[in-house]
Amino acid sequence: MTCDLSDTVEYVLPIGGERVSINQFIDKKVSFNYLHQINCIACGKKTNKSFGQGFCYTCFTQAPEASECVLQPDKCQAHLGISRDAEWAKQHCLVPHVVYLAVSSNIKIGITRKTQVPTRWIDQGASFAIIVAETPNRHIAGTIEKFLMQHYTDKTSWQGMLKGNVMETDLLAEKEKACQYLPAELKQYCTADNKITEINFPVNQFPAKVKSATFDKTDKVAGTLTGIKGQYLILDNTNVLNIRRHNGYLIEMDVTD
C-alpha cells in the first residue's frame, strides 16, 4: 500500500491497474480472493513461490532490490564501487540517508533514504519518530544503526504495534542519549533537527488479540475492515492481513456495505 501523511494516514492499494483508496472501506465488509498467480515485482515473470516479499528466486539472488545491504545496510559497498547494479546503487545507496528512532509499540532504531521520510515510519506502524542523524550514503547510516543496536532493537513488535500498545518515551531525550553513545567519527552526523513526527492511523478499535492471515494457507480472506496500521489490514478486530507480505500476488477485491 502507498500512503500519505495527513491528520490520519491515507492508504491506497494498487490492485491490477487500479489504485484504490482503502480508508473509505473502514466499517465495510471486504473480501480478498487469491487468483493463484504470483508475478515477480522485479522482472514481472510468473513464479510459483514468492521470495523476500515479492521476488522470483532468480531476482531474489541477483536483482539489486534484493541486495544484502537492503537488510544489512552496514554491509553496503556501493561507496567502494561494488554493487549488483551501479545505476540502482547510485539512486538508492549513494544518496542521503537518515538514522531514526521510532515508537510503534517499543522504541526501535532504523534507517531509510531521506526521501522515504515519513513513508518508512508509516509502513512500520510508528506512532512517533525522530531523526537522529543524516548521512551521505547507506553504508554510514548502516554503521551508525549497527552501533546503536547495542542500545536499541532494530525490530518492530508487529503484534504489539497492532494492539496499539505504544510505549511512553521521551524521544528527544532518547535522541540525545543515542548521539552520546556514538564515537566522534559518527557523532558528527547527528542532526539539529529535533522535530518529533506524530502519526495517527485509521483504526476504530485496536484488537486485544491478533491472528495473521496469509494467502499461502487460504484462497480467501474476508471480514469487516476495522482498521489499517503499518502495512496491515485489520479485519473483524482480530484477523490481520499483511499487504506487503503478498507483493506480486494477483488478488480480486470485493466490498459490500
Side-chain angles (χ1 to χ4, degrees), residues 88-112:
W88 186 91
K90 182 179 179 180
Q91 296 177 13
H92 292 82
C93 299
L94 302 178
V95 293
H97 278 64
V98 298
V99 183
Y100 62 85
L101 289 171
V103 182
S104 49
S105 56
N106 53 314
I107 186 170
K108 73 176 291 291
I109 191 75
I111 81 163
T112 190

Side-chain angles (χ1 to χ4, degrees), residues 23-222:
N23 294 51
Q24 64 180 314
F25 301 135
I26 291 179
D27 289 332
K28 296 184 178 181
K29 294 181 179 179
V30 296
S31 174
F32 298 92
N33 303 297
Y34 173 41
L35 302 182
H36 296 278
Q37 180 176 320
I38 305 173
N39 292 85
C40 175
I41 60 174
C43 70
K45 293 181 180 179
K46 291 182 181 180
T47 176
N48 293 326
K49 184 178 180 180
S50 172
F51 297 86
Q53 296 186 337
F55 299 99
C56 66
Y57 183 74
T58 299
C59 288
F60 180 64
T61 58
Q62 299 179 11
E65 299 94 328
S67 299
E68 180 183 37
C69 73
V70 172
L71 295 179
Q72 296 178 289
D74 60 302
K75 294 184 178 181
C76 181
Q77 299 183 78
H79 61 294
L80 301 175
I82 302 172
S83 65
R84 289 185 178 181
D85 183 277
E87 189 59 35
W88 186 91
K90 182 179 179 180
Q91 296 177 13
H92 292 82
C93 299
L94 302 178
V95 293
H97 278 64
V98 298
V99 183
Y100 62 85
L101 289 171
V103 182
S104 49
S105 56
N106 53 314
I107 186 170
K108 73 176 291 291
I109 191 75
I111 81 163
T112 190
R113 297 193 306 278
K114 187 177 181 180
T115 55
Q116 286 299 101
V117 172
T119 300
R120 178 63 172 166
W121 301 338
I122 294 172
D123 284 351
Q124 293 183 336
S127 296
F128 303 94
I130 190 171
I131 294 174
V132 174
E134 182 175 337
T135 69
N137 60 50
R138 187 169 183 81
H139 171 71
I140 298 175
T143 301
I144 293 175
E145 179 191 43
K146 187 77 170 182
F147 195 94
L148 291 177
M149 281 167 58
Q150 299 174 71
H151 307 279
Y152 304 98
T153 181
D154 67 330
K155 307 298 182 185
T156 297
S157 173
W158 66 273
Q159 290 179 315
M161 177 269 289
L162 289 169
K163 293 177 183 178
N165 299 331
V166 180
M167 183 179 79
E168 292 187 12
T169 186
D170 184 340
L171 268 185
L172 182 55
E174 287 294 339
K175 171 182 175 174
E176 292 172 352
K177 286 196 296 184
C179 287
Q180 290 303 313
Y181 291 142
L182 295 173
E185 63 268 25
L186 296 178
K187 190 179 297 184
Q188 63 176 308
Y189 297 104
C190 286
T191 175
D193 180 1
N194 291 326
K195 177 185 177 182
I196 297 175
T197 298
E198 181 176 357
I199 302 171
N200 297 302
F201 295 90
V203 180
N204 286 348
Q205 180 181 350
F206 288 101
K209 296 182 179 180
V210 291
K211 182 180 179 182
S212 180
T214 171
F215 293 116
D216 293 333
K217 295 182 178 180
T218 182
D219 292 342
K220 183 175 182 178
V221 177

